[in-house]
Amino acid sequence: MSMLPTAFITTALLIDASALRIEIDERELRLRGLLGIFRKTIPIDEIESFLVSDSWSACHGMIHFTIPAKGCIQINRRKGWSISFSTNQPEEIAMVLATLGVPRALRLK
């Protein structure tokens, strides 16, 4: 019977990791798994720069949320670990970040 809780937790983690919600407003960028188990919030003023790649496996942040997608974004922070995530809308996210005044990096740090 001890296998049942382990199977439930494993299933919940897999479901949560199967989709990533990306929300951006003028204050912060929020990453959330489907169920909200995996989540990360980054204040916009903590972002030093961002990098866009057309391959979902090309970004290598210290914290990385990845599922197969069209591309990825790497967030370089002023303090703390870099964060990267895969997305099907890398250029749209880049446009929003640029509109908020976050500079685009030319290459990986």
Side-chain angles (χ1 to χ4, degrees):
M1 290 219 187
S2 65
M3 296 274 298
L4 187 58
T6 303
F8 177 76
I9 291 169
T10 301
T11 302
L13 290 173
L14 288 172
I15 290 171
D16 194 52
S18 69
L20 183 65
R21 288 181 306 184
I22 303 162
E23 300 170 348
I24 306 171
D25 62 27
E26 64 279 348
R27 294 172 292 129
E28 58 194 17
L29 178 141
R30 293 174 297 282
L31 304 171
R32 302 281 185 267
L34 190 61
L35 302 175
I37 297 169
F38 295 113
R39 58 183 159 189
K40 184 68 181 166
T41 300
I42 308 148
I44 296 297
D45 61 0
E46 281 186 15
I47 301 174
E48 180 179 46
S49 63
F50 68 93
L51 177 81
V52 179
S53 176
D54 60 358
S55 171
W56 65 272
S57 62
C59 296
H60 301 287
M62 291 297 288
I63 299 173
H64 187 64
F65 298 93
T66 185
I67 54 175
K70 291 181 182 176
C72 68
I73 304 282
Q74 180 171 313
I75 303 294
N76 301 311
R77 299 172 61 194
R78 296 182 197 286
K79 292 182 181 177
W81 289 348
S82 59
I83 297 163
S84 56
F85 55 90
S86 55
T87 176
N88 282 326
Q89 294 91 22
E91 288 303 327
E92 288 87 349
I93 292 170
M95 184 179 65
V96 171
L97 290 172
T99 300
L100 292 171
V102 178
R104 188 172 184 152
L106 300 177
R107 58 185 171 81
L108 288 172
K109 282 190 161 190

